[in-house]
Amino acid sequence: VYALQAASFLLAITFIAAVIVNYVKQDEINNTWLASHARWQIRTFWFALLWTCLGTLTLLLGIGYFILIGTAIWTLYRIIKGWLRLIDEQPMYQEG
């Protein structure tokens, strides 16, 4: 899923595919350390979508460019951080 998210910088549809995979596999990974990664990835998708929409709507005001650049940097950070923790077989955070 992290690879699909990373590929979204070249082909946006892969971001949607990534979140679909997360939702489809959610029951399968519940109560495992991978569940925190799925939650991290799902939240990355929805917040990136929210900020991308906001950035697009405010492009004419000039602030949209900054919002879109910030969103891209934030999304890249979350992909890299999550992927590194996945490689180390570590959860993203302690589950409540």
Side-chain angles (χ1 to χ4, degrees):
V1 173
Y2 287 117
L4 287 170
Q5 288 182 330
S8 72
F9 284 93
L10 301 174
L11 187 62
I13 193 77
T14 62
F15 211 31
I16 297 168
V19 79
I20 290 170
V21 169
N22 269 315
Y23 281 118
V24 168
K25 293 290 188 178
Q26 206 166 27
D27 288 340
E28 204 173 302
I29 62 172
N30 267 349
N31 301 317
T32 70
W33 64 274
L34 292 171
S36 67
H37 282 275
R39 183 171 180 209
W40 178 265
Q41 293 161 340
I42 289 169
R43 292 180 68 134
T44 299
F45 172 82
W46 287 113
F47 280 105
L49 180 64
L50 170 72
W51 287 105
T52 299
C53 290
L54 185 62
T56 303
L57 290 172
T58 58
L59 274 174
L60 291 177
L61 301 175
I63 194 169
Y65 294 102
F66 298 107
I67 294 171
L68 291 173
I69 290 169
T71 302
I73 292 168
W74 176 83
T75 302
L76 191 57
Y77 159 78
R78 287 182 63 95
I79 292 168
I80 292 169
K81 182 176 181 179
W83 212 335
L84 290 174
R85 293 204 42 100
L86 179 69
I87 289 168
D88 291 338
E89 296 184 5
Q90 297 293 316
M92 284 311 301
Y93 36 75
Q94 295 296 337
E95 293 289 325

